[in-house]
Amino acid sequence: MNLSKFLMASAIAFAALAAPLAQAKDWKTVTVTLEGAYAPWNLTNPDGTLGGFEPELAKYLCDHMKVECNLVASDWDGMIPALNAGKFDVIMDALSITDERKKIIDFTIPYAHTHAAFATLKDGPLANAAGTGTVVKLDPGATGIKEVEAMKAAFAGKTIGIQAATVYSKFIYDNFGDVATVREYKTGAERDLDLETGRIDLVFDDAVYLISAFEKANGTLAFTGPELGGTIFGSGEGLGIRQADTDLRDMFNKAIEAALADGTVKTLSMKWFKTDVTP
């Protein structure tokens, strides 16, 4: 009887150890989603393929891991629920790494870190607000910052356009929601068009994204007020991965470390952003 119990216990222990191995995925193919409309981070080429900083970096990462990566476009505001529902394996869409998001998904180490900024009509009444051309570093929960207070006074009563479900939208609601009208948009392009045509007064977004938007608007838009950096928007941009897929996260972490170490991130960021976004 004792021997039988021992054999049974051993079988149970072996099954418990073997279960994770049986469930582990053989990552030969990985599906990566991007918006395909957030240039120069990612964009859709005329032939329907995805291009930009992130698709090119994804190719490097996947080649380094020796896996096949399929890039697919999807709507920004539904990406995190769709990731957890298993519709794809990775989000790569300038996704800021924040404590709030870590509650529902996992992240790789950051592959980029950028500032945020306001933009308005270059020749409009809100152009060249105090602090334009400077950078202010902010931490989460920071209040009473003189530069932010100055912008609140300058932008009071105006309409600020934001893309929904971003870390930038939270900042605007928290700091400007009581002095300005906030208008949400599904995509940055829709919002930028409203700025160009005067239907809104300001937009707030990632600074390198806005530089690309300025080019599309033929120079009619420009930054106003200081750029905002620091940790208020998270610790940088990383890949979003399901919490259960720690093995995939670790694979991408090693590949990102290699891309940072050999200068690939810097090379691609200079190509697409004209500035180094290496974290």
Side-chain angles (χ1 to χ4, degrees), residues 160-200:
I160 303 171
I162 55 173
Q163 186 173 2
T166 66
V167 290
Y168 307 126
S169 62
K170 182 180 186 306
F171 173 81
I172 293 298
Y173 278 119
D174 289 349
N175 292 276
F176 293 84
D178 59 340
V179 299
T181 299
V182 181
R183 187 173 299 172
E184 289 192 5
Y185 292 83
K186 188 176 182 65
T187 69
E190 294 171 336
R191 176 204 58 200
D192 301 342
L193 181 60
D194 272 7
L195 178 61
E196 288 181 62
T197 54
R199 288 189 284 269
I200 57 177

Side-chain angles (χ1 to χ4, degrees), residues 199-245:
R199 288 189 284 269
I200 57 177
D201 304 297
L202 298 145
V203 301
F204 187 73
D205 210 322
D206 175 79
V208 294
Y209 163 83
L210 288 173
I211 291 173
S212 176
F214 297 165
E215 294 177 358
K216 293 177 182 177
N218 298 315
T220 59
L221 307 178
F223 291 125
T224 187
E227 294 182 26
L228 303 179
T231 59
I232 190 168
F233 303 117
S235 56
E237 288 80 16
L239 302 180
I241 296 176
R242 284 183 294 274
Q243 292 177 339
D245 294 336

Side-chain angles (χ1 to χ4, degrees), residues 27-250:
W27 295 106
K28 293 182 179 179
T29 302
V30 176
T31 301
V32 181
T33 194
L34 314 94
E35 191 175 355
Y38 198 62
W41 291 91
N42 57 78
L43 53 94
T44 301
N45 294 314
D47 64 358
T49 59
L50 292 167
F53 171 79
E54 289 172 320
E56 292 195 7
L57 179 58
K59 183 180 186 310
Y60 172 98
L61 300 179
C62 296
D63 287 347
H64 188 274
M65 297 187 301
K66 295 180 172 56
V67 301
E68 178 184 350
C69 284
N70 299 320
L71 304 186
V72 298
S74 60
D75 290 340
W76 159 257
D77 54 0
M79 282 184 181
I80 290 178
L83 173 71
N84 281 331
K87 293 186 177 180
F88 34 75
D89 304 306
V90 178
I91 297 173
M92 191 178 195
D93 198 51
L95 187 64
S96 299
I97 303 169
T98 67
D99 289 340
E100 184 176 0
R101 286 173 174 162
K102 285 181 179 178
K103 295 175 182 177
I104 52 177
I105 62 171
D106 202 355
F107 284 93
T108 62
I109 61 174
Y111 56 83
H113 200 179
T114 58
H115 301 153
F118 282 98
T120 190
L121 291 172
K122 186 176 183 178
D123 298 323
L126 300 178
N128 297 310
T132 300
T134 66
V135 176
V136 175
K137 297 297 181 82
L138 301 176
D139 294 320
T143 59
I145 305 301
K146 64 179 182 179
E147 292 88 351
V148 176
E149 294 302 316
M151 286 190 290
K152 287 178 68 173
F155 303 156
K158 306 304 180 182
T159 300
I160 303 171
I162 55 173
Q163 186 173 2
T166 66
V167 290
Y168 307 126
S169 62
K170 182 180 186 306
F171 173 81
I172 293 298
Y173 278 119
D174 289 349
N175 292 276
F176 293 84
D178 59 340
V179 299
T181 299
V182 181
R183 187 173 299 172
E184 289 192 5
Y185 292 83
K186 188 176 182 65
T187 69
E190 294 171 336
R191 176 204 58 200
D192 301 342
L193 181 60
D194 272 7
L195 178 61
E196 288 181 62
T197 54
R199 288 189 284 269
I200 57 177
D201 304 297
L202 298 145
V203 301
F204 187 73
D205 210 322
D206 175 79
V208 294
Y209 163 83
L210 288 173
I211 291 173
S212 176
F214 297 165
E215 294 177 358
K216 293 177 182 177
N218 298 315
T220 59
L221 307 178
F223 291 125
T224 187
E227 294 182 26
L228 303 179
T231 59
I232 190 168
F233 303 117
S235 56
E237 288 80 16
L239 302 180
I241 296 176
R242 284 183 294 274
Q243 292 177 339
D245 294 336
T246 55
D247 51 347
L248 183 61
R249 178 203 64 200
D250 293 344

